[in-house]
Amino acid sequence: MNWLTDRISEEEIYAWELLVDDGFFVIALAFLFFEVARYAAQRALSWKLLADALTNYATLAMFIGVNTVLLSGAYVSAYLLAAEFSLFSIPISWASVLAAVLLADIAYYWEHRFAHRVNLAWATHSVHHSSPFFNISVAYRFGPMDGVWPIFFHIPIVLLGFNPFVVFFAEVVVQVYQTALHTESIGKLPRPIEAVLNTPSHHRVHHGANRKYLDANYAGILIIWDRLFGTFVEEDEAVVYGLVKPLDSVNPITAFFHGFWRLIRNALGCTGFWGKLLYFVRPPDWSEEG
Amino acid sequence: MPKPTLIRTSAGVAATALLGLTVAWLCSLLPLTGAATSSSEQLLEPRTSVTRHHAPASDADEGEGLDVEIHGIRGTEGRILIMVFDRATAYRAYDYEQSVGYAEIRPRTSTVTHHFRQLRSGPYAVVAIHDANEDYELNMQGDVPSEGYAASGAKGPYHEPSFQEAASRARHRRLAMHYLR
């Protein structure tokens, strides 16, 4: 078991991050072909589904443009600065990487819950939920500020003493795991797995616009956080995907920006200056009418 | 839709913070095994013996020792001199001949690491110098170092920690190289 505590260099961790992130993108593309064939066999394939898949990848391209060009410098700088004030000094080994993945997973739970319950964050995250379909291409449907909120929830892990490269890698692991959950082609898994891990079934619930499924199952890898913190819902009825107020468009520009368009429109509709300002931090299901 | 109470949510946040602190503390105690240097550095033959006051470690001691990581290094010229002290007098003098651990590393990236296998007790204070002109001195311009320097326990580039502030029994030390010129 010595390999768990063998030293790993930052370069090696970065190489693993690229392999996991980019490698799974290729696997996901292949899986998408399988899903399209499955829909075709079920006579459920439509031009709208194919157009929606293209829209998903278009939003990915726009998201990469926004985050890589505008934010990556700030992202990396923030992590490196935080490392200067770390509480503990934690060496890089597979043991500490596993621990970082655990902490990144619980950090993701709170970040995800924040994204669903605060309008300013929901404005970007709602893009991901706006597809009326559920296949692996939906996993790559991103909003313009999706790369911003993770900083605030994962910097504490750097402050605890984990190497910034390790935290980046842990975030990628949590994201890639969830990517694989975006499918209708996998039913419920054996109960021990469904009890502990996030699964396609749990994540279908999360994407549901059904009233009982709203704001549930925020987990990344471990569903136990939802069970512990009171946000778990079992899949027991057919899921209606998309938003409560559907976005009926496959235009990628419309899809990418609709969340912020709705945010600003709704805020302007509130009474008074403070009413408008506070709207940004209220939950999406809040209204002045109550 | 689930609506967790404020108390349950608050308890969840508190439990998360406690989990984070506990996991991080346990990870800081992890032993480190494997290669002593990263692929990004070239370990030079030190001018004198690496250790002076400790018996050579046996195979059974793998995982013990002192692990030092210096980050924030600028450029690849010269060498990084790492000195480990277990006494205040030697530490204050930056006297490598009285150090209990010494290494010279030519930097290839902004981070160098070194594992002092034989240093198993402590407390140890760690100092590093970016000796860009390879004169084995920390060059000064007046009172300000003109070469990079790092010290364990330093709270910033202008903080010169005492031996008590710099010394620790922690097995993994991560130092920031500061450049004031």
Side-chain angles (χ1 to χ4, degrees):
Chain A
M1 295 289 281
N2 251 10
W3 64 271
L4 272 175
T5 52
D6 278 352
R7 176 204 306 273
I8 310 171
S9 67
E10 288 178 345
E11 292 85 355
E12 193 175 343
I13 282 292
Y14 183 61
W16 275 107
E17 181 188 325
L18 291 179
L19 181 68
V20 168
D21 204 4
D22 298 345
F24 195 84
F25 182 80
V26 176
I27 293 171
L29 272 178
F31 189 77
L32 180 62
F33 281 113
F34 161 74
E35 286 186 294
V36 168
R38 179 176 170 272
Y39 283 128
Q42 293 175 337
R43 300 184 188 276
L45 187 61
S46 65
W47 286 114
K48 188 174 180 184
L49 188 151
L50 292 174
D52 186 75
L54 285 175
T55 298
N56 296 336
Y57 287 109
T59 63
L60 172 67
M62 288 187 279
F63 163 77
I64 290 172
V66 168
N67 284 272
T68 303
V69 173
L70 295 179
L71 293 176
S72 59
Y75 210 124
V76 173
S77 301
Y79 275 39
L80 293 179
L81 180 63
E84 297 283 325
F85 302 96
S86 56
L87 185 61
F88 300 105
S89 190
I90 299 172
I92 308 177
S93 63
W94 284 117
S96 65
V97 167
L98 284 172
V101 170
L102 174 70
L103 295 185
D105 192 51
I106 196 171
Y108 176 78
Y109 168 86
W110 291 109
E111 174 211 328
H112 199 182
R113 189 164 160 179
F114 176 86
H116 275 257
R117 302 301 298 160
V118 175
N119 274 328
L120 182 57
W122 177 242
T124 184
H125 188 58
S126 61
V127 175
H128 178 68
H129 282 262
S130 61
S131 173
F133 303 102
F134 195 66
N135 52 68
I136 205 159
S137 73
V138 174
Y140 292 101
R141 189 177 179 111
F142 287 103
M145 282 180 67
D146 278 356
V148 171
W149 299 110
I151 300 175
F152 301 102
F153 288 85
H154 293 85
I155 265 198
I157 307 177
V158 180
L159 288 171
L160 284 172
F162 290 88
N163 184 284
F165 284 88
V166 170
V167 179
F168 287 135
F169 176 71
E171 288 185 67
V172 164
V173 169
V174 174
Q175 286 297 324
V176 167
Y177 178 91
Q178 291 177 79
T179 301
L181 304 180
H182 289 76
T183 182
E184 294 184 287
S185 61
I186 298 172
K188 286 200 176 187
L189 297 173
R191 283 181 68 172
I193 298 175
E194 294 279 337
V196 175
L197 293 176
N198 198 6
T199 62
S201 171
H202 295 326
H203 207 57
R204 283 193 289 272
V205 165
H206 177 71
H207 273 260
N210 314 44
R211 184 162 182 79
K212 67 182 292 185
Y213 288 163
L214 292 176
D215 298 330
N217 298 1
Y218 297 114
I221 298 176
L222 296 171
I223 199 67
I224 59 175
W225 312 128
D226 286 283
R227 295 184 185 278
L228 284 172
F229 304 142
T231 52
F232 176 75
V233 173
E234 188 78 44
E235 183 185 26
D236 58 11
E237 70 181 40
V239 181
V240 176
Y241 300 107
L243 301 174
V244 171
K245 294 175 184 172
L247 170 75
D248 191 22
S249 173
V250 292
N251 183 318
I253 303 296
T254 303
F256 196 63
F257 292 108
H258 88 274
F260 280 96
W261 163 245
R262 289 186 181 186
L263 173 72
I264 293 168
R265 184 195 63 198
N266 293 342
L268 290 175
C270 292
T271 306
F273 171 77
W274 287 109
K276 292 175 174 56
L277 197 63
L278 285 173
Y279 183 80
F280 286 86
V281 296
R282 295 199 189 280
D285 56 351
W286 178 89
S287 68
E288 281 189 327
E289 294 79 29
Chain B
M1 59 189 278
K3 283 198 178 289
T5 63
L6 181 61
I7 292 175
R8 190 167 186 178
T9 301
S10 303
V13 172
T16 301
L18 187 61
L19 176 70
L21 285 165
T22 305
V23 168
W25 173 68
L26 289 172
C27 286
S28 70
L29 301 177
L30 282 172
L32 209 61
T33 55
T37 58
S38 77
S39 59
S40 63
E41 63 199 38
Q42 177 185 348
L43 186 63
L44 303 173
E45 189 66 33
R47 287 205 305 173
T48 60
S49 171
V50 171
T51 59
R52 273 174 268 286
H53 302 295
H54 299 268
S58 65
D59 286 344
D61 293 327
E62 184 168 310
E64 302 282 336
L66 178 66
D67 193 60
V68 175
E69 177 185 324
I70 317 288
H71 68 94
I73 296 167
R74 297 179 190 172
T76 57
E77 68 278 1
R79 64 192 73 200
I80 307 299
L81 312 180
I82 303 176
M83 291 166 276
V84 184
F85 301 100
D86 64 352
R87 287 169 291 158
T89 48
Y91 169 78
R92 280 194 291 267
Y94 278 17
D95 186 354
Y96 79 92
E97 289 187 344
Q98 296 186 56
S99 63
V100 295
Y102 177 81
E104 300 180 16
I105 303 169
R106 202 173 291 285
R108 291 214 174 110
T109 65
S110 60
T111 301
V112 300
T113 58
H114 187 71
H115 184 67
F116 294 94
R117 199 158 53 98
Q118 295 88 340
L119 301 182
R120 297 191 303 270
S121 52
Y124 300 117
V126 183
V127 171
I129 297 171
H130 188 168
D131 184 17
N133 58 4
E134 304 189 32
D135 66 350
Y136 291 96
E137 300 282 347
L138 176 60
N139 300 131
M140 307 288 284
Q141 282 184 5
D143 293 332
V144 179
S146 58
E147 294 179 310
Y149 68 95
S152 56
K155 293 182 175 58
Y158 299 97
H159 179 221
E160 197 174 340
S162 64
F163 179 77
Q164 284 70 29
E165 291 172 315
S168 165
R169 293 184 187 277
R171 286 196 204 142
H172 182 78
R173 316 297 290 279
R174 191 165 185 266
L175 280 60
M177 188 68 78
H178 298 295
Y179 298 83
L180 297 184
R181 291 260 183 244

